[in-house]
Every structure is written in C-alpha cells, then in structure tokens.
Amino acid sequence: MFDKDKKTIFSGIQPSGEFTIGNYFGAIKNWVDLQGDYNCIYFIADMHSLTVPQVPADLRRRTFECSAMLLAAGVDPDKSLLFVQSHVSAHAELCWILNCNSYMGEMSRMTQYKDKSAKQGENIRVGLFDYPVLMAADILLYNSDLVPVGADQTQHVELARNIAERFNNNYSPTFTVPEGYIPESGARIMSLADPTRKMSKSDENANAYILMKDPRDVIISKFKKAVTDSGHEIVHDRENKPGISNLLEIYACVCGKSVKEAEADFATSSYADFKLAVGEAVADRLAPIQSEFDRLVKDKQYVMDILKDGSEKASAIAARVLDKVKRKVGYLQF
Ligand code: TRP
C-alpha cells in the first residue's frame, strides 16, 4: 500500500463527540485530499479521550461512528491506513518508555494541559498531564514525516520533535523527527452563535455548531439563527463583520469557491436570503456523506473488518519501531 518515495502523513482525531463541520473543513477534508500524494495514516485517538471522564458505552459507540464518518467522508482504506489507537498496544508501550525520557519541566509548559486541568478541579488525572507524551508515541511509531494538526496541537508536535531528538541523541538515531503540517486550504470555522470563537461540539448552545449528522431542516434552521453583524452588506471583514465573514468562508469552503466569488454571489442579497443560501449549500454538501454514513453504520461488520485490517497493518509498522526502541533502552529480548 505504501510507496517508499512518498512522505508519510500521520494524524489522529478524538472520538470526543460527534464531528462538526469545523472538524470536517478544518481536518477531515484535508485528510481525504492528501491521499494519493502521501502515505497516509489516520487514527481515532480513543486513548486520548480517557483523559476526561467518559461514559463507556458512549465512548465505544462514538469510536465506531467516528470511524464510519471518516470512511463516509472519503478516507479510503485502499489508499490510507485507518485504525483505532487502543487496537494497537504499541502506543501504550512506547508511551511508557517516552515517559521515562520526558521531563516534568517541559510537560508543565503545555498550555492545553494548563487550560484543561484548570477545568478538572481537584482531581486532575495523570493521563491529562501525560497526554502529549502519548501523542508523541503515536507520531513516532510510524516514522511520520508530516503531522497535520490544528493550532491547538502545534505545541504537542513540537514536544514530539524534542522527545525524538533527545532519544536519538541519548541512544542512537531511532526516530524520524516529525514536522507539523499546515494544509494550504485548511479552514477555521467559527461558532454560529459567537463568531469570535472556534466552532466546538462542546458548546452548550447547540445552535453554535453544525454536526455532520444534522438533518437538513436542522442545518437550515441553525443557519437562519446564525449571528450576523450590523449593516446589511455581505462583505468579508473579519474585524468588523465576524458573523458575515464566517458565513462567507463556510459558503466558499462548501462550494469550492474563493471568498471573493462568494461575496459576488450575494452582492445584492439580504442577510436572510444569504443565511438561507449558506444553510442550503451546507445541507447539499453533507447529504451524500450522510447517506453513506447511514449505510455504513448499518453494515457494522464491514466497518469493523476495515478497522481490524487497519489495526493489523498499523501493528506491523509500529512493532518494527517499538522493537528497536526496546532493544536500545535495555529490555531483555528473546
Ligand atoms: N490530540 C489531537 C487532538 O485532540 C489528537 C491526536 C492524538 C493526534 N494523537 C495524535 C493528532 C497524533 C496528530 C498526531 O486533536
């Protein structure tokens, strides 16, 4: 499946809720577009999700549904490797070894940990602190060259680089030192209720986000309620018109147009007509993905077979790196 002359792209996503169009246009669509030009390895980071409280049955269901959604959105198992993190035990094993090669000081500087731990109150989980080391293990097991992530994860990729370099220096060259990768066409979709904040599925206001699974009428009604700005002109101006700008960007993304072209399409429209048109465009764009998702969810065995095959292939790649690491750190081997 993999071509020695191509670079390896590696990325993961947590099954922490239902995917929104922010996840789709910010990450998943890029994953799909990168297939072919790179050796692509994508995974569902269910072990990372345990760093915050989970209802076990929900985590299990979301891990399955997120897998089905990635397939429905176009991650192609004939081109890319797709697997679930907890199915490949090498992640946990390498994480331990890297824990013993990471420092409290560098870990304490992780801004996501500082933000998230502030919200966990008194009983902060050790896993939350260790999350970036597990992420480093994920990346380093696959000789990854490029790691596409959002801005909130670039510090973690930087840590993975530091850990890799340190290990290579302390033992001998072992890991490929990865680089973060910012796709040219990545979009940052903002909340429909507060366009100065990123769209997030954890928002208390369900009108703030569009889920990949939202039915057409729900999508259109959420867009009708989207916050706009004063005035009546439909122009892109992030500073003064964050609401309209966000809607223009969403429309441009969905239709594969430039923002300028999107502005031109609505030069004479009212806000109300514009919002309806954006809602319809998003619903049209999601419809085929949704029907493929519905089909896949009903064909559970088919999805599970893909994940099983993915976990076997991933385990084989990861085992080669892990064996090397085990030998270097001094584990007794048969
Ligand atoms: N931490 C990432 C996120 O929440 C998910 C993730 C886990 C990941 N391991 C990774 C992304 C390795 C890229 C590479 O978005």
Side-chain angles (χ1 to χ4, degrees):
M1 175 195 269
F2 283 168
D3 180 342
K4 277 202 299 328
D5 299 327
K6 287 182 182 167
K7 289 198 169 184
T8 297
I9 287 261
F10 180 86
S11 197
I13 195 162
Q14 285 192 54
S16 55
E18 319 254 5
F19 292 147
T20 68
I21 58 168
N23 298 120
Y24 180 65
F25 289 108
I28 300 168
K29 182 176 174 292
N30 290 312
W31 289 12
V32 173
D33 294 344
L34 291 164
Q35 301 180 109
D37 292 339
Y38 296 92
N39 298 321
C40 295
I41 306 181
Y42 300 130
F43 77 107
I44 308 276
D46 59 340
M47 291 164 70
H48 278 94
S49 295
L50 287 187
T51 57
V52 297
Q54 297 288 342
V55 175
D58 288 351
L59 178 63
R60 199 178 346 265
R61 177 185 53 79
R62 286 197 313 261
T63 302
F64 173 74
E65 289 190 359
C66 288
S67 307
M69 189 57 91
L70 291 178
L71 294 168
V75 170
D76 178 350
D78 290 330
K79 293 186 188 153
S80 303
L81 198 48
L82 176 67
F83 69 95
V84 173
Q85 188 180 28
S86 64
H87 292 165
V88 181
S89 57
H91 292 247
E93 289 188 69
L94 182 61
C95 181
W96 178 255
I97 297 174
L98 297 184
N99 277 336
C100 299
N101 287 274
S102 308
Y103 301 134
M104 294 299 287
E106 61 189 350
M107 296 296 292
S108 307
R109 285 195 291 275
M110 294 293 122
T111 55
Q112 189 174 66
Y113 168 71
K114 290 194 244 177
D115 294 346
K116 286 198 182 173
S117 58
K119 289 182 201 141
Q120 278 197 9
E122 259 175 54
N123 292 323
I124 297 166
R125 285 149 209 257
V126 174
L128 189 69
F129 185 67
D130 202 28
Y131 174 122
V133 179
L134 178 59
M135 184 160 159
D138 301 336
I139 296 169
L140 300 180
L141 278 173
Y142 298 90
N143 293 314
S144 313
D145 296 297
L146 300 170
V147 185
V149 284
D152 60 331
Q153 298 295 322
T154 51
Q155 195 185 26
H156 295 160
V157 175
E158 195 55 37
L159 178 83
R161 285 173 60 84
N162 292 341
I163 293 176
E165 278 168 356
R166 182 182 312 135
F167 194 97
N168 289 348
N169 289 334
N170 287 351
Y171 297 91
S172 59
T174 308
F175 295 124
T176 302
V177 179
E179 270 174 55
Y181 175 83
I182 317 277
E184 299 149 33
S185 61
R188 194 171 144 82
I189 307 257
M190 311 304 276
S191 155
L192 299 185
D194 175 0
T196 60
R197 290 191 4 220
K198 200 171 137 184
M199 181 179 285
S200 163
K201 56 203 158 203
S202 49
D203 207 305
E204 308 100 46
N205 178 358
N207 288 322
Y209 52 78
I210 304 286
L211 297 177
M212 298 279 290
K213 276 166 62 180
D214 275 344
R216 184 179 186 87
D217 53 330
V218 172
I219 296 176
I220 290 176
S221 115
K222 287 183 179 180
F223 274 101
K224 280 188 183 161
K225 293 188 195 116
V227 165
T228 47
D229 314 291
S230 56
H232 55 267
E233 268 179 49
I234 296 168
V235 289
H236 190 265
D237 176 352
R238 270 243 165 257
E239 191 105 322
N240 301 307
K241 290 194 155 233
I244 292 294
S245 302
N246 187 37
L247 296 177
L248 276 168
E249 284 179 35
I250 293 173
Y251 178 84
C253 251
V254 167
C255 302
K257 294 185 173 183
S258 69
V259 171
K260 278 270 158 277
E261 288 167 329
E263 278 179 344
D265 285 355
F266 298 103
T268 59
S269 307
S270 66
Y271 276 3
D273 291 345
F274 170 54
K275 290 202 277 185
L276 178 64
V278 180
E280 286 176 336
V282 170
D284 289 347
R285 175 64 195 265
L286 293 182
I289 299 178
Q290 292 176 339
S291 54
E292 180 63 0
F293 173 79
D294 291 343
R295 193 183 72 77
L296 288 170
V297 167
K298 284 190 209 114
D299 197 352
K300 182 159 187 203
Q301 197 53 49
Y302 172 78
V303 175
M304 292 307 290
D305 286 345
I306 290 174
L307 294 179
K308 181 129 202 298
D309 185 57
S311 78
E312 284 162 7
K313 289 182 178 140
S315 297
I317 300 174
R320 284 200 291 272
V321 174
L322 183 63
D323 278 350
K324 225 181 347 171
V325 172
K326 286 181 172 175
R327 185 160 28 83
K328 296 201 187 189
V329 299
Y331 284 0
L332 176 64
Q333 292 187 300
F334 289 110

